[in-house]
Amino acid sequence: MPEWSIILLRVIGVLFLTLLLVRMPGRKSLSRLSPFELISVLVIGFTAALWSLNLIGDLLTIIIALAVWVLIPQIFSILSLKSKKFRDIYRGQETILVHQGKVLEEKLLREKLSPEDLLSMLRSNRVFNFADIEMAVLEPDGELNLLLRKEQQPLTPHSIGIPMLQEQAPQTVLIDGNIMEEKLAALGLNRHWLLTELIKLGVAVENVFMGQVDSAGQLYLDLFDDQIKVPQPTIKEMTRATLNKCQADLELFSLSSRADSAKKVYSDAARDIKNISTGLESLLSR
Amino acid sequence: MTVGSQVKGTVASLKGVKATLETFASLQTYSDNQDLLNNTCETLNSVIGSLERRVAELEMQEPQYKGL
C-alpha cells in the first residue's frame, strides 16, 4: 500500500475515534471545561493528529497514551461529582470580588486581577459604577456574574406590585405546512379547529411556513410568501375595547335616565364592567 | 334609536364578551386563570341579568318598540 493511502485510512480512523473521545466529558460546552479537562482534550487531539500522520510511535503506545488521557479526566470528573472537597480542588471555587458596593482588594490580588481587569469585566456586564453592585462573583471558569443593588435592578411587575397572571407558552402547531397534532392536543384543540381557522383567514395549509397558537387560542401565521399580509388576531384587543365601550355606554345611560332606580341599575353595571376590565388587564394585554 | 334598543345593543355586546371569555377559560391550563375567567363570567352574567330586567321595564313603558 502506498504511504498516502495508509495516512488516509489513519486520518479517517482517528477522526471517528476522537469524535467518540471528545464527547466523553458529557454535555458541557468547551468553555465550561475545567482547565485540566481542556488540556486533556488538547493532548488527545495532538496525539491523534501526530499518529495519523505517522510521526510517532506504534499503535499500542498511542492507544495506551490516549486511554490514560481519556480515563484519568473521566475518573476525576466522576470523583468531583461524588465529593465536594475534591470538586473544590478540581474545578476551583467561586470568589466574591465586590460585596455591597465595596471592592474586596485582597480577593482581587489572590485572583491576580488588576483593578482595570475588574472594571473591564464589570463593563462587559453593562455596569459602569461598582457602587451599584450588591455582589459580584468570579466563577471558577473566569466568568464574572453580578447582582445589582435593589434600586438598580430593572423594574418587573412583581417589584412594583402589579399582580400578573401566568401564561402558558405559545405552541407551534404548523411547521412547513405540516400540522403538529400533539401540540394542538396539548391546548385541547384538533386539526379541524386549525383548518377552520385557516379557512377563516383564507389561507391554504401548504402555504404556511409557521403557525403558533397562544394561550387565548389565537393563531399567528407566517406564510412562505412574505408579500401576502395575514391579519394578526385581535381577539384580546377587541374584547378589551368592547368592555370599555360597554362601560362608557352604561355611564351614558345612567346620566341620561331620570328615574333613580334606572340610574342605579346602569351605574352599578358600569362599575361592575370597570372592575372586570381592570381584573382582566394582564390577561388581555399582549 | 330608542333607549331600549341602545340598552339591547349593550347587552348583546356583553354577551359577546362573555362568550369570548368562556372560550379563553376553556383553553387555560393554569387554574388561577380559569377561576378568574369563570368568576368574571359570573359577574358578567349578573350584569346582563340586571340589564335585561331593565330592558323588560323599558318594553313595558314603550310597548310600541317591543322586540328586537
Side-chain angles (χ1 to χ4, degrees), chain A residues 165-168 187 189 215-217 235-236 239 242-243 246 249-250 253 262 265-266 269 272-273 276 279-280 283-284, chain B residues 3 6-7 10 13-14 17 20-21 24 26-30 32-33 36-37 40 43-44 46-47 50-51 54 57-58:
Chain A
L165 289 161
Q166 298 301 320
E167 195 176 68
Q168 68 222 64
L187 286 170
L189 302 167
S215 60
I235 307 171
K236 287 181 175 180
T239 310
T242 315
L243 276 174
C246 289
D249 282 350
L250 290 167
F253 296 156
V265 169
Y266 292 135
D272 284 347
I273 300 296
I276 286 173
L280 294 179
L283 204 68
L284 293 181
Chain B
V3 176
Q6 282 175 343
V7 179
T10 306
S13 304
L14 287 178
V17 170
T20 314
L21 294 181
F24 278 12
S26 69
L27 286 169
Q28 300 300 316
T29 44
Y30 288 102
D32 284 357
N33 295 10
L36 173 77
L37 285 168
T40 306
T43 321
L44 266 179
S46 67
V47 171
S50 69
L51 287 178
R54 178 67 198 144
E57 283 172 31
L58 287 170

